[in-house]
Amino acid sequence: DEVRRFFIENALYWVTDCHIDALRLDALHAILDISSYTFIEELAAAVHERAKKLNRKIYLFGESSANNARLIRSAEEGGYGLDAQWNDDFHHAVHTLLTGEGTGYYQDYGQMRHLVKAFREGFAYSGEYSPYRRHRHGTSSRDIPARRFVVFTQNHDQVGNRARSERLSRLVSYEAQKLAAGLVLLSPYLPLLFMGEEYGETAPFPYFISHTDTALIEAVRQGRRAEFAAFRWPGEILDPQDEVTFRQAKLDRGRLGEEKHRVLREFYGELIRLRKENAALARPTKDNLEVWGDEKNKTLFVRRRAGDTAVFILYNIGNTRKKVNCKIPAGRWRRILDSSEGRWLGQGSNAPDAITASGSEVAITPGPESLVLFQKEN
């Protein structure tokens, strides 16, 4: 009890004395707790009670690979009461489709159905068999509100826990970087952007240490090699104790002076503006959300609506320009964003400026690795 109380008081110190608004709880799947009232439940209750006394909003974000929906269910529903959790499934579904990687835990993903389910529900694995884990994995998140999921295509774990610590900008094309941004920022979930992602930072973000115990240093090195064995990544792992490894991780904000990086940042800004100002995109909710995927053509079709505002988004995950037949509700639809446009340094939009639909299928030709966003005119 004393140890448990020590950690809870540590969290209360951060939110009370240091005025921290949110805490991310790391690797909750690794906390093995068989008590009737778990540590995570008690921590969440204590922090939220303190928030009431301080008359503030304080949030707890969990990180867990277990796909356990109880973490983000309310205490009244028998859950642990965390406010949200990072959704690795969304990252893995996008990453495998864009990069083609399929080793390690990525072997569980790589098909459009994984992205469709992650976009529609949250967890891509909700009890299905996991080839990587060799057992059934996860619980259903279908009824979990969208605001309880944080989605991303990069974070410190997914970049730092690679042998060469490459950012997505080193693994995919410029067009695919814009596509990834659109998948995150136009989703119904809470978007997380990794530092430098918004302008396509290319510096790696390797795991680094500065220990003095030689045995500990060697243990970390060996541990990193063992962790990466399942991924079979080529090349030698960066030495976490080497100062050069640390210096490589520094951001180069000077890249904003280069056209491609400046335009990518402007594209992120436009996506954020649309998310804030467009009623159909602004609310983090699964209500009035429809998602379909085409495995053969590698396309994702998303329709969202709020009141009188309706939009649809066509994502072309494939690397070729193709004609896609989309069933669009009757009405006139105006194109408000196309990542292939010249203003975003694309190859030029081939999608129509406007569509008059009668409720039947309409052919649209998105550019390779692109997204097209239409809004219904009232």
Side-chain angles (χ1 to χ4, degrees):
D1 287 345
E2 291 78 7
V3 173
R4 178 184 286 220
R5 187 64 199 170
F6 172 82
F7 285 109
I8 290 174
E9 289 185 357
N10 178 261
L12 296 177
Y13 162 77
W14 282 111
V15 303
T16 306
D17 297 341
C18 302
H19 308 283
I20 296 297
D21 296 316
L23 297 172
R24 172 189 175 273
L25 311 179
D26 187 66
L28 297 185
H29 54 267
I31 298 180
L32 306 180
D33 187 349
I34 62 171
S35 59
S36 300
Y37 188 41
T38 67
F39 166 72
I40 298 171
E41 290 176 272
E42 187 176 354
L43 173 66
V47 169
H48 290 142
E49 182 62 32
R50 181 60 56 89
K52 288 181 183 178
K53 291 181 179 179
L54 296 173
N55 194 27
R56 283 171 44 204
K57 293 284 188 181
I58 299 172
Y59 301 98
L60 293 175
F61 297 96
E63 188 230 5
S64 170
S65 63
N67 284 16
N68 181 2
R70 280 194 64 200
L71 287 172
I72 44 179
R73 291 193 194 280
S74 67
E76 293 74 20
E77 298 173 307
Y80 289 5
L82 300 184
D83 297 289
Q85 83 157 71
W86 287 21
N87 186 9
D88 282 346
D89 273 11
F90 189 98
H91 168 273
H92 299 344
V94 175
H95 185 91
T96 51
L97 286 169
L98 293 184
T99 66
E101 293 183 4
T103 57
Y105 48 69
Y106 289 141
Q107 67 186 271
D108 283 351
Y109 306 86
Q111 298 181 42
M112 287 300 301
R113 62 183 175 89
H114 298 120
L115 180 57
V116 168
K117 190 172 179 182
F119 212 105
R120 183 187 292 153
E121 298 184 17
F123 294 147
Y125 276 83
S126 55
E128 295 87 348
Y129 180 79
S130 159
Y132 172 69
R133 294 174 175 83
R134 299 181 183 179
H135 58 72
R136 289 175 295 169
H137 176 58
T139 57
S140 176
S141 62
R142 187 177 301 155
D143 64 330
I144 301 295
R147 68 178 183 277
R148 295 191 180 275
F149 285 107
V150 178
V151 297
F152 43 84
T153 56
Q154 299 181 73
N155 65 34
H156 71 278
D157 278 333
Q158 302 305 332
V159 177
N161 291 336
R162 297 178 61 85
R164 307 303 296 176
S165 302
E166 310 99 322
R167 293 169 178 265
L168 196 63
S169 58
R170 289 289 193 185
L171 302 174
V172 302
S173 68
Y174 188 73
E175 295 304 310
Q177 290 180 68
K178 292 184 287 181
L179 174 61
L183 285 165
V184 169
L185 286 166
L186 301 182
S187 78
Y189 305 110
L190 305 181
L192 180 148
L193 305 182
F194 185 54
M195 53 183 185
E197 169 189 333
E198 74 281 1
Y199 63 86
E201 177 63 68
T202 58
F205 187 75
Y207 178 87
F208 52 82
I209 57 175
S210 182
H211 297 327
T212 55
D213 186 326
T214 55
L216 178 58
I217 293 169
E218 188 56 32
V220 171
R221 287 170 175 157
Q222 294 298 331
R224 300 293 285 176
R225 293 191 186 100
E227 182 179 351
F228 298 145
F231 289 92
R232 301 193 297 275
W233 281 315
E236 184 60 31
I237 297 170
L238 297 172
D239 184 357
Q241 182 71 13
D242 191 337
E243 186 176 333
V244 173
T245 302
F246 159 71
R247 296 195 177 280
Q248 286 182 24
K250 294 193 173 186
L251 301 177
D252 181 6
R253 300 280 293 178
R255 293 191 180 278
L256 282 168
E258 302 172 26
E259 185 182 32
K260 291 184 71 171
H261 296 282
R262 174 182 55 79
V263 171
L264 183 59
R265 187 174 185 275
E266 292 172 355
F267 184 72
Y268 269 84
E270 179 64 8
L271 289 172
I272 292 171
R273 184 192 69 79
L274 286 167
R275 183 181 175 106
K276 291 173 67 175
E277 297 179 4
N278 190 293
L281 300 170
R283 293 181 60 234
T285 177
K286 298 177 188 174
D287 296 339
N288 300 312
L289 168 72
E290 298 172 86
V291 187
W292 300 273
D294 184 330
E295 190 70 52
K296 180 181 178 181
N297 289 312
K298 290 291 185 287
T299 53
L300 182 76
F301 185 85
V302 177
R303 200 159 67 210
R304 300 185 65 187
R305 180 168 49 85
D308 294 332
T309 305
V311 301
F312 76 80
I313 315 162
L314 178 60
Y315 297 94
N316 180 9
I317 313 294
N319 55 14
T320 59
R321 191 182 295 272
K322 63 193 67 172
K323 182 183 290 186
V324 182
N325 292 321
C326 306
K327 189 171 184 179
I328 304 170
R332 183 169 173 81
W333 298 77
R334 178 173 55 90
R335 192 185 79 212
I336 59 176
L337 180 72
D338 187 339
S339 63
S340 293
E341 292 176 9
R343 65 178 294 202
W344 308 121
L345 304 184
Q347 301 175 11
S349 176
N350 209 38
D353 293 331
I355 297 172
T356 301
S358 60
S360 58
E361 288 190 342
V362 175
I364 302 174
T365 307
E369 297 179 314
S370 71
L371 68 100
V372 187
L373 171 63
F374 284 83
Q375 179 172 332
K376 189 176 184 180
E377 294 182 350
N378 294 323

